[in-house]
Amino acid sequence: MPLIFPRLRGFCDRLEPLGYLLLRIAFGLMLMTHGVPKLLGRSHGSMADPMAGSVNLIANVLHLPAAPLIGWFIALLEGVGGLMLAVGFLTRLVAPMVTVQMLVISWLLAPTFPWIDRGFEYPLMLVFVALFITARGSGRGSVDAWRGREL
C-alpha cells in the first residue's frame, strides 16, 4: 500500500524490526511485573499477597478446580514466560499460552470490569498483542534468532 508520504518508506521499513523488538521486550517485561511478585511472595501495587489474591479469584470467583495449581501456572507463565518473551526464547510456545490467558481473563472477568474505571481494555489489548507476537514469532534481536531456529 502506498504511503501518504512516500519518502518515509525507507525509514518505516528500517524502523519496523526495531519497533517489533521493543514491543516484544516491553510486553515480556510487563508480564514479569505481574508474575515475579507472585512467585516471590512480594506485594504488588495494592495487593499485599498477589498469589493469594490470584488463588482466591480462581477458586471463589471463577470456581475453577485446583486453584493453587492454576495460580502457580499463571505465576510461572507471567514471570518466567514474560522473561522468555522479552529475550525472544521459545516465543511461539509461550505467546499462545499468554494469548489464551488474556482471552480467559477478558472473557471471564469482563462483567466485573467497567470499561473505563477498572481497565477492561487492558487485558483485551493484551490479547491482541500476544496474538500478534504468536503470529510474528521471535524476530530479530532474539535468542531464537541467535540460535538460528524457531518453533
Side-chain angles (χ1 to χ4, degrees):
M1 176 181 339
L3 293 175
I4 294 172
F5 301 106
R7 292 178 187 242
L8 292 177
R9 168 70 65 199
F11 174 74
C12 291
D13 289 345
R14 286 189 305 276
L15 184 62
E16 189 276 332
L18 175 62
Y20 180 71
L21 171 68
L22 294 174
L23 175 70
R24 195 192 73 236
I25 291 170
F27 184 68
L29 293 176
M30 182 275 315
L31 282 175
M32 287 179 64
T33 67
H34 292 272
V36 170
K38 291 174 188 156
L39 294 171
L40 298 179
R42 304 268 191 234
S43 64
H44 176 68
S46 62
M47 295 181 78
D49 187 348
M51 179 63 91
S54 293
V55 170
N56 180 54
L57 176 79
I58 293 163
N60 299 318
V61 176
L62 302 178
H63 306 291
L64 296 174
L69 183 62
I70 295 171
W72 273 103
F73 176 77
I74 295 300
L76 286 169
L77 179 60
E78 292 172 347
V80 177
L83 176 62
M84 292 170 72
L85 289 176
V87 300
F89 180 61
L90 300 177
T91 302
R92 289 189 194 264
L93 178 67
V94 176
M97 290 190 279
V98 174
T99 302
V100 170
Q101 177 196 10
M102 293 302 150
L103 277 169
V104 169
I105 289 170
S106 295
W107 178 261
L108 293 178
L109 299 180
T112 64
F113 276 102
W115 183 261
I116 299 298
D117 295 337
R118 301 203 96 194
F120 173 70
E121 68 275 13
Y122 181 72
L124 184 62
M125 187 65 196
L126 296 181
V127 168
F128 295 104
V129 172
L131 186 61
F132 180 64
I133 293 172
T134 297
R136 181 81 161 55
S138 298
R140 295 184 196 168
S142 66
V143 171
D144 289 339
W146 176 75
R147 290 175 49 229
R149 62 190 329 201
E150 199 173 0
L151 292 178

